[in-house]
Amino acid sequence: MPMALRVAHTLSALLLLSGPLAASAMAETPERLPALNAMSEQASVVGVSSGGYMATQLAVAWPERFSGVGVLAAGPWGCSQGSLNLALNQCMQTRAGQPALDRLDARWAGYKRHDRVGAREDLAQLRAFIWYGGADDVVQPELAELLAKQWLGWLASPEQLQRVRNQAAGHGWPVQLREEEAVGPQELGNCRQGGGSHVLACDEDVAQEMLAWLYPERDASISAATSTTTSATGELVAFDQSEFAVKGLADTGYVFIPAACEEGACPVTIALHGCQMSASAIGDTFVSHSGLNHWAASHQQIVLYPQADSSLSNPQGCWDWWGYAESLWQKNPLHDTREGVQASALMRMLDRLEAAPVMSD
């Protein structure tokens, strides 16, 4: 069977979502995450808040698997050092003082001696994008500035980093809604207050700015090629996350697949929501209206939206950047290494998307 037909058959069996996540659609049982033969050379990972911390963790653990990383409203890699107390008092607020980058660099070096993170030379080749709000009262702005300083110490050139500070913005993911998007003000916060979704109506398309920075050659070439064509399309697909089950993951995740990517050869962007931003908490506000899908449809990019779940140990549905998903007996949880259970699960999802579809008889 030709690849296009195989993928179309797979997609037709999945739950296809082109608008809000209706209650009836959410209730259906999603199918397996498809193998789409995605490009392995240009994957990226982006995230906001706890998802921003996790995005850096993935990039540091497997820099050879990514070409770029985008972080919104988060602080430096390794900041919590496996301690919830430090996460709260040094990595969100700085009541316990600012994290020391030299100590975190020593943490990285210890991991490298045991091959728990990637090579420095691979880390040095990434492109990085950091956005933060000057009025962020959840993760203090100076922590994002420390993250930028940390990345400058890793990258081969400061020209590989773009840092954006919106002085008026609070904590969250800024968006610029398009006329066709029917999202009410109750689903968004204003630019300073995150509201219930932490999606900020700042009239700022951070998704476009970030992905254009992470993919400069593709943005220029594909924008020119598609400027005279009809609007690109794609579909948001629910998939079964239970086969990747580890502590803290929800049962259902989402992936946006442009029509042009059904035959493969498109890169993947892993997009990680923040605390209180999963689909179970805010519906499709993030997975449909972050701006990522619009850029991805025009630039032939697959966007993977894994979903974290809330629990007694993680009531706000955050990604694990302080060690809650690791075994309790571990003196030093390895959440920020290649052995981290959530990080490993996310990489298995990327492996699936980059795998070739299985030939059917």
Side-chain angles (χ1 to χ4, degrees):
M1 182 184 294
M3 183 179 293
L5 293 179
R6 293 198 306 272
V7 175
H9 176 75
T10 301
L11 295 183
S12 66
L14 296 175
L15 173 60
L16 300 181
L17 301 172
S18 57
L21 303 180
S24 58
M26 295 282 282
E28 293 194 29
T29 302
E31 298 296 329
R32 197 169 186 258
L33 180 65
L36 293 174
N37 202 30
M39 292 177 61
S40 59
E41 296 84 5
Q42 295 185 16
S44 59
V45 57
V46 304
V48 56
S49 192
S50 72
Y53 274 109
M54 178 60 83
T56 301
Q57 287 175 190
L58 288 184
V60 171
W62 286 278
E64 71 277 11
R65 297 290 304 275
F66 297 102
S67 63
V69 56
V71 179
L72 282 70
W77 171 88
C79 185
S80 74
Q81 302 176 65
S83 165
L84 178 58
N85 180 57
L86 284 180
L88 295 172
N89 296 300
Q90 197 169 72
C91 307
M92 296 176 66
Q93 305 295 310
T94 55
R95 290 181 289 265
Q98 291 189 357
L101 294 186
D102 56 350
R103 183 172 182 178
L104 300 183
D105 196 53
R107 181 180 180 87
W108 180 92
Y111 282 156
K112 186 66 188 75
R113 286 193 294 272
H114 295 90
D115 292 323
R116 287 171 171 158
V117 293
R120 198 85 173 211
E121 53 266 31
D122 291 323
L123 193 60
Q125 299 308 306
L126 298 179
R127 290 179 70 84
F129 180 95
I130 296 171
W131 180 96
Y132 58 106
D136 191 335
D137 58 3
V138 177
V139 177
Q140 291 183 338
E142 55 262 40
L143 291 162
E145 293 165 2
L146 281 174
L147 172 65
K149 184 177 180 180
Q150 188 179 56
W151 272 105
L152 286 172
W154 289 333
L155 298 174
S157 166
E159 295 181 358
Q160 294 163 235
L161 172 69
Q162 179 162 324
R163 175 173 48 184
V164 178
R165 175 174 175 139
N166 183 327
Q167 188 61 33
H171 184 75
W173 180 289
V175 297
Q176 183 180 57
L177 292 177
R178 293 163 179 82
E179 292 182 1
E180 67 273 16
E181 294 185 271
V183 179
Q186 71 279 2
E187 295 169 296
L188 302 179
N190 61 37
C191 194
R192 186 164 188 142
Q193 298 297 324
S197 68
H198 293 292
V199 176
L200 308 176
C202 289
D203 197 29
E204 178 181 0
D205 191 351
V206 76
Q208 191 281 332
E209 185 177 7
M210 176 168 57
L211 292 179
W213 173 258
L214 297 182
Y215 297 97
E217 297 84 2
R218 292 181 63 245
D219 184 66
S221 62
I222 296 177
S223 291
T226 59
S227 61
T228 59
T229 63
T230 58
S231 297
T233 60
E235 291 182 293
L236 189 65
V237 179
F239 70 91
D240 183 6
Q241 270 193 179
S242 64
E243 66 171 300
F244 307 98
V246 296
K247 186 176 180 180
L249 259 64
D251 291 334
T252 302
Y254 301 90
V255 58
F256 179 77
I257 307 173
C261 297
E262 294 178 7
E263 295 189 24
C266 292
V268 176
T269 292
I270 301 174
L272 301 170
H273 62 74
C275 303
Q276 301 176 320
M277 290 180 68
S278 68
S280 62
I282 63 171
D284 75 332
T285 303
F286 180 67
V287 300
S288 290
H289 303 292
S290 65
L292 293 171
N293 298 348
H294 182 82
W295 192 95
S298 299
H299 294 79
Q300 301 170 20
Q301 190 89 0
I302 298 165
V303 186
L304 176 69
Y305 294 99
Q307 298 292 299
D309 199 10
S310 58
S311 64
L312 289 177
S313 60
N314 178 37
Q316 295 187 348
C318 305
W319 291 102
D320 185 15
W321 61 280
W322 69 88
Y324 76 81
E326 304 299 319
S327 299
L328 296 177
W329 56 264
Q330 288 178 306
K331 183 178 179 180
N332 178 29
L334 299 175
H335 60 286
D336 51 356
T337 74
R338 296 185 180 200
E339 298 173 36
V341 296
Q342 286 191 3
S344 298
L346 294 172
M347 294 304 292
R348 291 198 301 274
M349 295 181 198
L350 179 62
D351 290 341
R352 174 69 58 75
L353 290 171
E354 291 179 350
V358 177
M359 297 290 292
S360 57
D361 295 332

